[in-house]
């Protein structure tokens, strides 16, 4: 808030001959340039605290020493951290570690490749088996179909033969009279009786 | 409706933290190709269903992509940061076998994990005092039962350096 000035300044303050050689002017921290000076501070001359030259010399010495030591310590610690980091990334140990890791990685990749090859072999076997199965099934299906075809042909032949057999007993225009005569001569009795035990009786009276 | 999905246990923190596959820093992308039907893809399907959440929880920065019904046989592919691609065939394998195999070839080993845990503990020692961002406390005055901060309550006279200096001066 206070600034040391050497040129033009408040004339009153200069006249009153301040205790020290330097004059201090107020820098308005809170108030703006239009605000008036406070009533209690009207004639006030601000001066910085007095400095004892002997004390100042001693203090300066001690301070330089102290700051030197502190700076040295700080830089020392910073350097330690940086060195650690450097060694971590590009030191001899790090190289060793990197090499070891690369080797391990290679070993693991080889192991993985082995696994893959094994799976490949298994897969090839499996696919082969499946193909064979499919072929076998196909062949079997073909045979089955052949057989069924043969069966159906035989059925049909049998039917034809049966029909031919039955054709001998058909009633045709020539047999018509004969068959009518026969039918009238031999009356057939289709009635029958059955009792609770299941015995069939066919000797019923024809009417 | 507190539970969502078929196996809501997959969404619990406990289950996720139980995941033990932590990949090496070199692995950047993981790709799973599997089929939605078929006996051979069953292990891969279970792996995707049960183990992928755990893996993603433990490897937050790993990109995982799933492709369905693109190839006849299922496989995993890992893309490392030096361009290397690692192919893992998982046809017919069980999901436990798959996760064990993957952990063996590309996961961080137990000792590495323990070393990392120890390093982290050293870095985050609760006995350290410092900025709030890195340590628990900044000053001993924050701890219960210790002398309170002189910034909030003034110290008793006997503890101030000013008084002590005065006493020492007057005694000499």
């Amino acid at each position: 808030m206070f600034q040391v000035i050497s040129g033009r300044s408040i004339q009153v303050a200069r006249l009153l001959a301040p205790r020290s050689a330097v004059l201090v002017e107020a820098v308005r921290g809170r108030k703006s340039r239009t605000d008036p000076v406070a009533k209690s501070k009207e004639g006030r001359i601000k001066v910085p605290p007095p400095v004892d030259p002997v004390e100042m010399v001693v203090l300066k010495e001690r301070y330089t020493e102290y700051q030197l030591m502190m700076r040295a310590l700080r830089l020392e610690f910073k350097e330690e951290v940086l060195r650690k980091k450097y060694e971590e990334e590009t030191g001899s140990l790090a190289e060793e570690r990197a090499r070891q890791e690369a080797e391990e990685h290679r070993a693991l990749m080889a192991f993985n490749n082995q696994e893959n090859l094994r799976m490949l072999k298994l897969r090839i076997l499996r696919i082969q088996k499946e193909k064979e199965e499919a072929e076998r099934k196909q062949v079997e299906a073909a045979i089955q179909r052949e057989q069924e075809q043969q069966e159906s042909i035989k059925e049909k032949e049998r039917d034809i033969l049966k029909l031919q057999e039955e054709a001998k007993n058909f009633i045709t225009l020539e047999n018509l009279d004969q068959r009518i005569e026969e039918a009238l001569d031999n009356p057939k009795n289709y009635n029958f009786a059955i009792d609770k035990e299941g015995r069939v009786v066919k000797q019923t009276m024809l009417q | 409706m507190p539970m969502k999905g078929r196996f809501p246990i997959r969404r619990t923190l406990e289950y996720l933290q139980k995941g033990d596959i932590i990949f090496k820093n070199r692995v950047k992308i993981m790709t799973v190709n599997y089929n939605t039907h078929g006996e051979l893809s069953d292990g891969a399907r279970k792996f995707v269903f049960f183990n992928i959440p755990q893996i993603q929880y433990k490897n937050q920065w790993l990109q995982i992509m799933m492709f369905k019904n693109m190839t006849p046989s299922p496989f995993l592919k890992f893309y490392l940061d030096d361009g290397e691609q690692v192919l893992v065939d998982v046809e017919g394998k069980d999901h436990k076998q798959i996760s064990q195999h993957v952990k063996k070839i590309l996961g961080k080993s137990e000792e590495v994990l323990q070393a990392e845990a120890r390093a982290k503990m050293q870095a985050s020692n609760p006995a350290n005092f410092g900025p709030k961002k890195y340590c628990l406390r900044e000053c001993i005055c924050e701890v219960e039962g210790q002398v309170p901060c002189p910034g909030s309550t003034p110290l008793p006279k006997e503890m101030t350096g000013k008084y002590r200096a005065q006493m020492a001066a007057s005694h000499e």
Side-chain angles (χ1 to χ4, degrees):
Chain A
M1 268 220 322
F2 303 116
Q3 268 179 354
V4 173
I5 43 163
S6 51
R8 47 205 80 108
S9 70
I10 310 164
Q11 304 297 330
V12 178
R14 197 165 276 243
L15 279 174
L16 284 175
R19 267 178 286 140
S20 57
V22 290
L23 278 179
V24 177
E25 193 190 79
V27 166
R28 292 328 237 349
R30 189 175 51 88
K31 295 187 170 178
S32 77
R33 39 189 335 178
T34 54
D35 295 331
V37 180
K39 260 200 307 196
S40 59
K41 305 274 188 298
E42 247 162 17
R44 184 160 181 237
I45 308 159
K46 291 177 195 142
V47 287
V51 172
D52 188 9
V54 178
E55 189 196 6
M56 188 48 123
V57 163
V58 171
L59 273 180
K60 256 202 160 44
E61 260 181 44
R62 290 190 190 173
Y63 266 124
T64 43
E65 222 182 288
Y66 170 75
Q67 275 165 5
L68 184 78
M69 282 195 266
M70 288 298 280
R71 203 177 298 142
L73 277 172
R74 264 187 220 118
L75 288 175
E76 195 63 50
F77 290 135
K78 270 190 213 166
E79 199 193 319
E80 189 188 323
V81 166
L82 282 173
R83 202 187 323 131
K84 255 199 208 160
K85 213 165 147 227
Y86 177 75
E87 272 201 26
E88 177 75 37
E89 283 170 14
T90 55
S92 52
L93 268 180
E95 271 183 39
E96 279 271 333
R97 240 185 302 137
R99 216 166 15 93
Q100 257 184 349
E101 274 198 39
E103 274 188 36
E104 278 174 20
H105 183 74
R106 251 196 309 246
L108 290 171
M109 292 300 113
F111 170 72
N112 186 40
N113 279 342
Q114 289 281 337
E115 271 291 318
N116 283 353
L117 284 172
R118 191 176 64 91
M119 297 292 293
L120 177 73
K121 286 200 189 88
L122 283 174
R123 201 196 345 228
I124 287 175
L125 278 173
R126 209 184 322 128
I127 288 179
Q128 244 182 359
K129 268 196 210 127
E130 272 173 21
K131 241 195 319 192
E132 277 167 18
E133 275 278 332
E135 273 197 36
R136 206 166 45 84
K137 274 211 175 77
Q138 242 189 346
V139 162
E140 265 180 26
I143 291 172
Q144 192 81 352
R145 257 179 287 131
E146 277 281 330
Q147 269 185 343
E148 272 172 21
Q149 239 184 345
Q150 295 286 337
E151 281 285 331
S152 69
I153 287 173
K154 279 196 191 111
E155 266 293 327
K156 287 191 185 113
E157 276 180 5
R158 254 180 287 150
D159 278 338
I160 290 172
L161 284 171
K162 226 164 75 167
L163 199 61
Q164 272 182 342
E165 289 290 326
E166 284 174 12
K168 291 186 189 132
N169 298 343
F170 283 173
I171 302 178
T172 58
L173 281 172
E174 296 96 18
N175 298 357
L176 191 59
D177 298 324
Q178 204 190 2
R179 291 297 276 269
I180 291 172
E181 292 279 345
E182 275 180 42
L184 285 173
D185 286 335
N186 319 334
K188 272 202 86 172
N189 186 7
Y190 292 106
N191 298 335
F192 69 96
I194 187 163
D195 65 358
K196 281 195 198 153
E197 272 82 50
R199 287 177 293 196
V200 177
V201 172
K202 288 212 171 138
Q203 294 170 342
T204 50
M205 290 287 294
L206 175 65
Q207 304 204 334
Chain B
M1 244 95 43
M3 299 208 232
K4 296 190 183 174
R6 280 186 290 154
F7 281 79
I9 191 174
R10 293 175 296 147
R11 297 165 62 125
T12 55
L13 266 180
E14 204 184 310
Y15 175 84
L16 291 173
Q17 279 159 359
K18 278 240 183 68
D20 54 356
I21 304 185
I22 301 181
F23 284 116
K24 297 182 181 145
N25 299 338
R26 283 191 292 167
V27 181
K28 298 290 183 205
I29 307 176
M30 175 166 132
T31 301
V32 187
N33 266 286
Y34 64 103
N35 296 333
T36 43
H37 295 91
E39 178 72 42
L40 301 164
S41 232
D42 192 43
R45 270 195 300 260
K46 285 215 162 58
F47 178 75
V48 165
F49 193 69
F50 288 113
N51 296 50
I52 294 268
Q54 289 174 325
I55 294 175
Q56 185 80 95
Y57 183 78
K58 290 284 176 172
N59 306 277
Q60 305 251 343
W61 289 96
L62 176 72
Q63 177 179 8
I64 304 182
M65 296 220 55
M66 253 80 79
F67 295 108
K68 298 186 193 52
N69 300 324
M70 293 190 75
T71 66
S73 69
F75 63 93
L76 268 62
K77 203 150 188 181
F78 297 89
Y79 298 82
L80 310 183
D81 66 0
D82 52 355
E84 193 185 334
Q85 298 176 4
V86 182
L87 173 70
V88 179
D89 195 354
V90 300
E91 192 170 7
K93 279 197 187 158
D94 190 32
H95 70 291
K96 281 212 176 61
Q97 285 173 351
I98 300 173
S99 73
Q100 265 169 15
H101 183 69
V102 162
K103 183 170 179 188
K104 181 162 173 198
I105 53 170
L106 285 166
K108 281 191 182 156
S109 59
E110 276 298 322
E111 42 205 59
V112 169
L113 282 173
Q114 273 170 11
E116 276 184 10
R118 257 179 283 141
K120 221 162 67 133
M121 250 197 349
Q122 255 186 0
S124 70
N125 195 350
N128 287 343
F129 286 83
K132 281 282 180 203
K133 188 174 166 197
Y134 303 105
C135 312
L136 286 176
R137 297 171 287 238
E138 282 185 337
C139 178
I140 193 77
C141 65
E142 292 181 27
V143 178
E144 281 251 354
Q146 296 293 335
V147 170
C149 192
S152 52
T153 52
L155 291 172
K157 271 191 71 140
E158 293 84 21
M159 287 212 245
T160 56
K162 193 193 313 193
Y163 181 79
R164 284 210 202 146
Q166 248 180 19
M167 288 280 111
S170 66
H171 276 308
E172 275 164 22

